[in-house]
Amino acid sequence: QNQLNPDIKYGVGILDANFLKKVNDKYGHEAGNELIRRAAKVICAVFRHSQVFRIGGDEFAAILENQDYEHREGLLKLFDVKTAEEHFTVGGDVLTVSVARGLGVHEHGMEFAQVSEYADVAMYNHKAALKAQYGEEVR
């Protein structure tokens, strides 16, 4: 049978680049593409022992197992630091990369979809906190 071990330890990270629409509208789609590339670079660098997937235009998922799972809280903090350090220049303006992130942690008996849903809710909560911090929509 192809059943997952119900005791397997893993987490699902949902990560969503912020300000893509604003960057696309103000600087063009190539700048938006660069924003997505920079976000992906940081995601892959921080969660380097995890499988990372692009699941939408500016949305990514990371499946945290083993050492990334064990160090998940520290990696989330490191991710925020590394994201804030990532920037690029477009038309003389320096743009900082901003990514909302949420983590769902598997508990015994949970389906993958439920873990992923928890991660999604956590990501939207982080996005709301960033909106309050920046004083504007961060989509």
Side-chain angles (χ1 to χ4, degrees):
Q1 280 205 319
N2 210 359
Q3 289 287 77
L4 273 176
N5 177 348
D7 298 318
I8 193 167
K9 292 182 177 176
Y10 72 90
V12 176
I14 300 291
L15 309 105
D16 189 271
N18 296 318
F19 304 115
L20 180 63
K21 181 177 179 354
K22 185 177 182 180
V23 170
N24 279 338
D25 290 350
K26 186 169 182 179
Y27 300 100
H29 289 276
E30 190 47 48
N33 289 342
E34 184 63 17
L35 174 66
I36 292 167
R37 281 193 289 275
R38 297 294 182 122
K41 176 184 144 190
V42 177
I43 293 164
C44 291
V46 172
F47 302 104
R48 66 182 183 272
H49 302 289
S50 300
Q51 295 181 71
V52 175
F53 306 90
R54 185 176 179 196
I55 57 174
D58 58 355
E59 194 168 20
F60 297 83
I63 310 302
L64 280 60
E65 296 178 291
N66 304 315
Q67 62 208 73
D68 280 4
Y69 172 82
E70 297 300 330
H71 300 109
R72 61 193 177 276
E73 294 302 326
L75 287 176
L76 284 181
K77 290 183 176 83
L78 177 64
F79 180 75
D80 291 344
V81 170
K82 292 297 183 187
T83 305
E85 291 173 355
E86 188 68 28
H87 56 272
F88 60 103
T89 306
V90 181
D93 290 343
V94 177
L95 305 185
T96 302
V97 176
S98 171
V99 180
R101 82 293 185 279
L103 180 67
V105 176
H106 175 261
E107 293 173 19
H108 182 76
M110 285 173 62
E111 297 287 333
F112 178 84
Q114 191 177 5
V115 180
S116 184
E117 178 64 26
Y118 282 151
D120 212 40
V121 168
M123 183 274 293
Y124 279 107
N125 288 341
H126 186 232
K127 199 173 272 281
L130 291 171
K131 178 181 177 183
Q133 179 184 331
Y134 290 117
E136 63 176 299
E137 284 290 339
V138 294
R139 57 193 175 95

